[in-house]
């Protein structure tokens, strides 16, 4: 048996995506090379281009997959605060996707799969705002949405970069985020409060 892994038809795309996610998680998206990914997947150097055409196509696929997973994670969360928690949890659980998704210069903005996945994620985020009482939203739902997005995205980004290690300490980052969210947006009516959050 050879040391090179072989993939039957249909597995190559997933194998290259998985290898790409490993590289991005370890070294960032700028370290990606289709030739290196082909070597990692145990296939010819031209094989990844068959599925992704080029590096931009591969990063577009990573972003589209990330937004689809992200939309699923948000849709299962009740209320704005817990959608923010799901946002932070997604970033911590899918750091490679997260790093690519929010760098539009890395992917093709006109890709239909990416557009559809982003639209689902955006709708899930907006649904969290629309569930707030009017007094918590202010006069402009759009600005309330930007505030909520900025809080969740900023917290997730700081968490991933290690900048919250000292401030968060041994606390659960999700509980810390809940407390921060409650400072800006009052807890939704009927929402359970978490011990340690205020």
């Amino acid at each position: 048996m050879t040391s090179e892994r072989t993939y039957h038809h249909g597995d190559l795309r997933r194998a290259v995506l998985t290898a790409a996610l490993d590289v991005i998680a370890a070294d960032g998206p700028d370290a990606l090379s289709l030739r290196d990914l082909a070597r990692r997947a145990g296939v010819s150097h031209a094989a990844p281009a068959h599925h992704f055409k080029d590096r931009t196509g591969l990063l577009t696929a990573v972003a589209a997959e990330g937004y689809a997973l992200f939309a699923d994670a948000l849709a299962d969360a009740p209320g704005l605060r817990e959608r923010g928690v799901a946002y932070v949890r997604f970033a911590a659980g899918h750091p490679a996707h997260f790093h690519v998704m929010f760098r539009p210069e890395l992917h093709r903005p006109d890709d239909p799969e990416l557009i559809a996945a982003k639209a689902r994620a955006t709708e899930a985020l907006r649904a969290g705002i629309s569930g707030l009482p009017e007094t918590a939203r202010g006069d402009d739902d759009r600005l309330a949405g930007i505030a909520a997005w900025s809080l969740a995205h900023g917290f997730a980004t700081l968490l991933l970069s290690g900048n919250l290690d000292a401030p968060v300490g041994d606390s659960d980052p999700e509980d810390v985020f809940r407390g921060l969210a409650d400072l800006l947006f009052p807890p939704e009516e009927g929402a359970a409060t978490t011990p340690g959050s205020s």
Side-chain angles (χ1 to χ4, degrees), residues 8-86:
H8 60 74
H9 180 71
D11 286 345
L12 175 60
R13 186 176 195 280
R14 180 74 258 157
V16 173
L17 274 171
T18 299
L21 291 168
D22 290 344
V23 170
I24 295 166
D27 302 312
D30 296 332
L32 273 187
S33 152
L34 288 185
R35 185 176 292 271
D36 176 57
L37 294 177
R39 180 188 58 75
R40 289 170 182 257
V43 296
S44 75
H45 71 273
H50 174 72
H51 287 280
F52 304 105
K53 293 187 181 174
D54 56 19
R55 187 175 175 278
T56 302
L58 173 60
L59 288 167
T60 301
V62 168
E65 180 178 80
Y67 274 110
L69 293 168
F70 186 47
D72 291 343
L74 293 172
D76 291 338
L80 180 64
R81 184 181 65 177
E82 291 308 309
R83 283 176 199 241
V85 171

Side-chain angles (χ1 to χ4, degrees), residues 108-127:
R108 294 191 177 97
D110 59 347
D111 179 80
E113 189 178 339
L114 177 60
I115 290 169
K118 280 178 83 170
R120 281 184 55 223
T122 300
E123 183 54 38
L125 287 169
R126 285 187 180 143

Side-chain angles (χ1 to χ4, degrees), residues 81-82 84-86 88-89 151-152 154-156 158-159 163-185 193-198:
R81 184 181 65 177
E82 291 308 309
V85 171
V88 171
R89 187 181 301 132
L151 178 63
F155 187 89
L158 290 169
L159 186 67
N163 285 295
L164 292 181
D165 290 353
V168 169
D170 293 333
S171 300
D172 181 341
E174 293 181 14
D175 288 342
V176 173
F177 179 82
R178 285 183 181 98
L180 293 174
D182 287 349
L183 292 174
L184 292 183
F185 296 97
T193 57
T194 302
S197 67
S198 53

